[in-house]
């Protein structure tokens, strides 16, 4: 898979390194000469150019890319790169970094963004995930279909603890992606039993999130003592 990354700062280089380790072709684009550090990611292609200019993207042969990642520290630049990648070059997958949470509402399909990654939101979500059990945490937003990647840790008192995945009447427009149980990552086949403490990752429509949270966090009836 060929991936172009606009922004060769620490974030862009880190993403490039991960992708290269997984066998992908990577092109790093940056207009600042000081950002062109070929020795830091020698396996990548490098291009000194302004990713907001059509001529630069022509030189980068963006039409050959399967994914474009707009990873600069400037939200305006990331939006322009995303829009050009999608509308002018038909790139199938566009991922954009959101630097200022106030701008997050702009990062949608109208600007060519398929996936918006907000570092502040992700960090706060990880903090919430670390301290909350039974509460739904939104990790990532997908622009198409208004869907999100969400996580919920199954509380011990949940009515679904001990239930097989295939026996659960999940809400519409939700899909259980994986179950994280300690060090294990489990494929959620129908016969897999949900256990207290399981971290459940879903792709879910935003309109279904509350329903999903209610389903997973519902408490068992506890007997009263007289």
């Amino acid at each position: 898979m060929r991936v172009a990354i606009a922004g060769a700062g620490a974030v862009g280089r880190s993403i490039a390194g991960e992708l290269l380790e997984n066998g992908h072709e990577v092109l790093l684009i940056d207009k600042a000469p000081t950002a062109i550090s070929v020795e830091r990611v020698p396996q990548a292609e490098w291009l000194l150019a302004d990713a907001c200019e059509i001529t630069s993207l022509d030189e980068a042969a963006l039409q050959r890319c399967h994914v474009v990642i707009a990873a600069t520290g400037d939200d305006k630049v990331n939006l322009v790169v995303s829009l050009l990648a999608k509308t002018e070059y038909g790139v199938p997958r566009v991922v954009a970094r959101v630097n200022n949470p106030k701008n997050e509402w702009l990062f949608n399909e109208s600007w060519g963004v398929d996936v918006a990654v907000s570092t502040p939101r992700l960090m706060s979500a990880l903090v919430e995930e670390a301290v909350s059990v039974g509460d739904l945490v939104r990790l990532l937003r997908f622009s198409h279909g208004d869907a999100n990647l969400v996580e919920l840790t199954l509380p011990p008192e949940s009515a679904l603890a001990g239930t097989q995945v295939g026996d659960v009447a999940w809400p519409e427009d939700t899909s259980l992606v994986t179950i994280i149980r300690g060090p294990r990552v489990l494929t959620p086949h129908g016969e897999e039993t949900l256990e207290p403490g399981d971290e459940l990752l879903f792709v879910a429509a935003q309109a279904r999130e509350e329903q999903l949270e209610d389903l997973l966090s519902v408490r068992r009836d506890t007997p009263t003592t007289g």
Side-chain angles (χ1 to χ4, degrees):
M1 182 170 68
R2 182 171 175 81
V3 182
I5 302 174
V11 172
R13 293 195 306 269
S14 177
I15 296 169
E18 293 283 343
L19 291 171
L20 287 163
E21 284 184 10
N22 290 326
H24 302 295
E25 299 178 34
V26 176
L27 168 65
L28 281 160
I29 308 170
D30 206 297
K31 67 178 181 179
T34 54
I36 305 300
S37 304
V38 178
E39 69 282 358
R40 294 192 179 186
V41 194
Q43 304 95 329
E45 298 175 47
W46 290 79
L47 178 63
L48 176 61
D50 186 345
C52 292
E53 297 288 341
I54 289 288
T55 52
S56 300
L57 300 181
D58 284 344
E59 185 178 355
L62 220 65
Q63 69 278 3
R64 293 176 45 220
C65 293
H66 303 91
V67 180
V68 165
I69 302 174
T72 79
D74 188 325
D75 285 345
K76 297 187 294 295
V77 171
N78 291 343
L79 285 170
V80 171
V81 171
S82 298
L83 184 63
L84 291 175
K86 183 67 69 175
T87 59
E88 297 296 324
Y89 298 92
V91 176
R93 190 75 163 170
V94 177
V95 180
R97 171 187 176 188
V98 185
N99 296 279
N100 187 338
K102 292 181 180 180
N103 297 329
E104 191 173 5
W105 66 278
L106 288 166
F107 286 74
N108 55 39
E109 60 183 347
S110 298
W111 279 93
V113 178
D114 296 306
V115 180
V117 181
S118 171
T119 303
R121 176 183 289 279
L122 183 57
M123 291 181 68
S124 64
L126 291 173
V127 170
E128 291 178 28
E129 187 272 333
V131 299
S132 61
V133 174
D135 295 327
L136 185 142
V137 178
R138 189 180 300 166
L139 299 177
L140 194 66
R141 178 176 60 82
F142 300 97
S143 296
H144 292 303
D146 194 27
N148 299 309
L149 177 66
V150 299
E151 183 271 352
L152 186 141
T153 300
L154 196 68
E157 64 273 24
S158 171
L160 294 186
T163 304
Q164 291 187 343
V165 170
D167 293 334
V168 180
W170 301 109
E172 293 183 6
D173 304 320
T174 66
S175 178
L176 178 60
V177 177
T178 194
I179 301 170
I180 301 174
R181 183 175 298 155
R184 303 176 62 198
V185 178
L186 306 174
T187 301
H189 57 75
E191 296 181 355
E192 185 65 55
T193 300
L194 298 174
E195 296 183 5
D198 282 351
E199 292 184 52
L200 308 177
L201 270 66
F202 295 86
V203 174
Q206 187 167 333
R208 301 293 183 182
E209 289 180 1
E210 184 176 351
Q211 186 180 352
L212 181 62
E213 184 174 24
D214 289 344
L215 173 67
L216 293 165
S217 301
V218 65
R219 306 297 192 251
R220 287 194 179 99
D221 293 332
T222 54
T224 57
T225 57

